[in-house]
Amino acid sequence: MLRPWWLGMLAFALLVAAVFAWLGQWQLGRAIDTNPPPPGATEQVRPLADVVAPGAYLPEPLVGQRVEVTGTFVPGDFLVVSSRYNDGVAGYWVTGQLRLDATAPTSLAVALGWAADRESADAAASALNDAPADTVTLVGRLIADEGPAAPPREGPATEMTRMSPAALLGWWHDVDELNVYRPYLVADAGETLPDGLVAIDSPAPEEGSGVNWLNVFYAAEWAIFAGFAFYMWYRLARDAWEKEVEALEGATAGAAPPGD
């Protein structure tokens, strides 16, 4: 282990361990939120523009944030999303494209209300599509995109089972050069809804602990990797030493005079 080659290998192991230790420290820093949002922050209504920008992902601490937004619903873009639960009961959401008052065309997907059966949801969507496009101000809870999913095999090709602005965008009208928010809005109770729809139950998110345990686990992994670098150096050096000892013993045995 004191030979120049193995001292050089030790220096290399030290360098690798230092890199792993730095990565572990970085991961641990991300695991602990030193400036968590105050309790009840998600229940304070904020302007949408102060929370997230179009096309940007919604940060985890802001999932469920109540926001206020003003815009106009686009006629013909009220669509139904299935597999939606309200107080544990399966049903359907009626959603719409809210075109915001902005210089650049920008839209936000909005879940307006819930229906227990498809017929009521389709009737409500049809009524909303036929209504005049008036400017409205909505207050609701901002939720992260669930991601698109393929329609079920037994259902029509237009069936949507997840609330995904990316999937809704494929069915919206007038989308050239359109900016779209990645999260969607669940409208608060109290908004005027057509017959057959009720308000969507959207409780406040649970307060987080400020510790991301997955990142803590990753930090521990980096520490193990750092220790493994030293173990590999020791194991390789010991294997080389054992081979030299075996070779020396073999040479000694071959040089010994034969017995009587």
Side-chain angles (χ1 to χ4, degrees):
M1 290 180 180
L2 296 178
R3 293 175 183 174
W5 168 258
W6 290 109
L7 289 176
M9 291 296 293
L10 176 60
F12 178 73
L14 284 170
L15 178 62
V16 172
V19 172
F20 287 161
W22 177 82
L23 289 171
Q25 184 178 12
W26 171 80
Q27 198 82 56
L28 191 61
R30 295 191 60 183
I32 302 174
D33 188 357
T34 58
N35 188 27
T42 58
E43 304 312 293
Q44 300 175 6
V45 179
R46 300 170 57 184
L48 175 63
D50 293 349
V51 177
V52 67
Y57 287 98
L58 184 64
E60 184 177 351
L62 296 176
V63 173
Q65 176 68 48
R66 298 184 70 232
V67 298
E68 182 180 65
V69 61
T70 299
T72 304
F73 281 108
V74 177
D77 284 349
F78 288 96
L79 303 171
V80 176
V81 178
S82 61
S83 301
R84 302 289 93 186
Y85 288 83
N86 224 33
D87 291 329
V89 180
Y92 304 82
W93 279 0
V94 174
T95 70
Q97 178 193 172
L98 185 67
R99 187 65 56 86
L100 307 185
D101 297 333
T103 304
T106 307
S107 287
L108 173 69
V110 178
L112 283 171
W114 177 89
D117 55 84
R118 185 63 188 243
E119 292 75 15
S120 298
D122 287 339
S126 178
L128 288 167
N129 282 324
D130 293 337
D134 297 328
T135 299
V136 296
T137 297
L138 299 177
V139 175
R141 202 174 294 282
L142 208 57
I143 307 297
D145 181 6
E146 297 177 3
R153 292 184 178 180
E154 64 277 5
T158 57
E159 180 95 16
M160 287 182 288
T161 58
R162 292 187 181 181
M163 185 61 184
S164 171
L168 293 171
L169 180 63
W171 298 99
W172 286 350
H173 300 87
D174 188 22
V175 295
D176 292 340
E177 304 297 328
L178 181 67
N179 295 317
V180 179
Y181 282 90
R182 286 183 180 271
Y184 63 90
L185 183 77
V186 176
D188 277 357
E191 304 295 339
T192 302
L193 299 174
D195 294 339
L197 292 186
V198 298
I200 299 172
D201 179 41
S202 182
E206 296 182 1
E207 298 289 346
S209 64
V211 177
N212 187 323
W213 291 106
L214 182 59
N215 280 338
V216 172
F217 172 75
Y218 289 152
E221 279 191 331
W222 286 120
I224 293 173
F225 293 156
F228 189 71
F230 288 108
Y231 173 77
M232 285 297 298
W233 170 79
Y234 167 77
R235 187 67 263 177
L236 291 173
R238 184 177 177 85
D239 287 347
W241 173 75
E242 289 177 349
K243 288 180 180 179
E244 290 187 5
V245 170
E246 290 177 359
L248 181 62
E249 290 176 348
T252 303
D260 294 334

